Amino acid sequence: MGALGPVVADASPDLPGITAQDLLAKVQTAKVDGLSGTVRSAADLGLPALPGVDGESQIPDLLTGEHTARVAFAGPDKARVSVLDNMAERVLTTDGKTAWAYDSAKREAVKLALPARPAAPEVAPEREAYDPQAVAKKFLAAIDPSTAVDVTGTESVAGRDAYKLRLVPKTDKTTVGSVTLAIDAKTWVPLEVTVLPRTGSDPAVQVGFSSVSFDVPAASTFAFTPPKGVKVTEKTLPAITPKKHSTPKALPKADPKKPAAADRPTVIGEGWETIAVFRGVKFTPGNGPLDQLLANARTVQGSWGSGKILTSKMVSALITDDGRVLVGLVTADTLAAAAPQAPR
């Protein structure tokens, strides 16, 4: 057999010209009845792992490492995400009436009965983590008048023609250098999101489809039958009264008097300076790697208390002495300045 020749990348598709404003408008209003496919994510945020953390309030995964997931979405209330990691599978699925969370490694499943409501609740953060459209919306919500938005070309993603829309924040308080969205030229749905830090040229986060179909998945896609021998725990989600609201252009500031539940973060700050606050985080003492990490971290203090700041090329984290953790794609100084707003 002859030697393989060099791999040649597909040529950029020849698409009609479009302005950044028109493309931005189309992607912000893009809506499809359903889709399915395989999503791959890779991240190098540069923040060391925090061993020895326990309790119900955990620091989020933040898409660390490389992952593959099979996804399917249909309307606002049907979703299925199957994350494949280390020969194991985690399945999170809902048909709008019942939600399932299954972990093949633990041989456990949770069946959650959902109350009637206009739209299903967010049953798992995995939907946002492995849905390029949802990831893109997070960054689109950060756009403010100082953000530069332009079309930088075209590319092929998952076999589909796409425009490249780049967002560049001008504030020096964020660690985000730019965000590039690959926008499907027919549906205007984001197919891939690439985040570059302010320093360096390697992507910090890249989430995108390796294959995708915009056919509406069958209803059976969102059903789940636990394998034999799996322990099933049944729960019922209490009903809530939905509130009328409009989609904000930037994330609202949190009301310190109304903190989020202990197992969910409170969001403070706006746009590119958004910070998530977790409460009730406990650290196991006597853990060598964690003790060394915190010992080398910068100490900060103020009227809010004191704590340690960990920094990386993308993520900054402030761990307070009273069990709060502030995390954001912001500089260390921005994080420290936001500490007084963090609810206890």
Side-chain angles (χ1 to χ4, degrees):
M1 296 178 61
L4 294 176
V7 177
V8 180
D10 293 338
S12 299
D14 185 12
L15 297 173
I18 188 171
T19 66
Q21 290 75 16
D22 287 344
L23 184 55
L24 183 60
K26 288 181 179 295
V27 68
Q28 287 179 324
T29 57
K31 184 179 180 181
V32 292
D33 294 329
L35 63 81
S36 61
T38 300
V39 173
R40 292 179 179 172
S41 71
D44 179 14
L45 301 179
L47 186 67
L50 295 179
V53 182
D54 57 20
E56 293 300 320
S57 297
Q58 298 288 327
I59 297 174
D61 187 352
L62 291 177
L63 297 177
T64 55
E66 297 183 1
H67 303 276
T68 298
R70 293 193 300 267
V71 303
F73 307 118
D77 61 350
K78 295 179 177 63
R80 184 184 182 102
V81 178
S82 300
V83 184
L84 311 174
D85 280 325
N86 300 322
M87 303 300 291
E89 181 180 30
R90 287 181 290 127
V91 178
L92 300 110
T93 185
T94 176
D95 59 6
K97 297 180 180 179
T98 304
W100 283 91
Y102 165 64
D103 189 326
S104 69
K106 296 181 179 179
R107 302 286 294 170
E108 295 178 352
V110 175
K111 181 181 180 181
L112 187 64
L114 306 177
R117 63 183 67 196
E122 181 183 324
V123 296
E126 276 81 356
R127 167 158 190 174
E128 290 190 352
Y130 296 101
D131 179 0
Q133 188 174 19
V135 175
K137 284 182 177 179
K138 292 292 185 181
F139 290 105
L140 290 171
I143 294 178
D144 58 30
S146 68
T147 303
V149 183
D150 63 321
V151 179
T152 60
T154 64
E155 65 178 323
S156 179
V157 176
R160 298 183 66 89
D161 294 347
Y163 291 96
K164 293 193 291 185
L165 181 69
R166 185 175 61 182
L167 317 176
V168 180
K170 296 301 184 182
T171 174
D172 59 1
K173 294 182 179 181
T174 181
T175 55
V176 177
S178 68
V179 178
T180 299
L181 312 178
I183 310 300
D184 185 74
K186 291 185 177 179
T187 65
W188 309 111
V189 168
L191 300 175
E192 186 177 73
V193 180
T194 302
V195 182
L196 292 177
R198 290 181 65 190
T199 57
S201 57
D202 295 329
V205 176
Q206 192 164 39
V207 181
F209 287 103
S210 57
S211 65
V212 65
S213 168
F214 288 98
D215 294 333
V216 179
S220 60
T221 302
F222 307 101
F224 181 78
T225 300
K228 291 182 179 180
V230 169
K231 178 184 177 181
V232 176
T233 302
E234 296 193 18
K235 299 181 180 181
T236 299
L237 191 69
I240 61 173
T241 302
K243 297 180 180 180
K244 295 182 179 180
H245 66 280
S246 57
T247 302
K249 191 169 184 181
L251 293 173
K253 291 183 178 180
D255 183 351
K257 297 180 181 179
K258 298 180 180 180
D263 60 344
R264 294 177 63 86
T266 296
V267 176
I268 60 176
E270 296 181 347
W272 300 107
E273 299 167 29
T274 297
I275 295 168
V277 182
F278 298 82
R279 296 176 296 131
V281 178
K282 298 179 181 179
F283 295 92
T284 303
N287 183 290
L290 178 60
D291 291 344
Q292 183 177 0
L293 190 64
L294 294 178
N296 295 330
R298 167 185 159 196
T299 300
V300 292
Q301 58 185 3
S303 58
W304 50 270
S306 61
K308 296 278 192 175
I309 283 188
L310 304 175
T311 59
S312 73
K313 64 181 181 182
M314 283 295 295
V315 178
S316 295
L318 168 58
I319 303 173
T320 69
D321 295 339
D322 58 8
R324 291 173 292 165
V325 176
L326 287 71
V327 181
L329 301 179
V330 297
T331 64
D333 289 343
T334 301
L335 204 60
Q341 302 176 46
R344 297 182 182 277

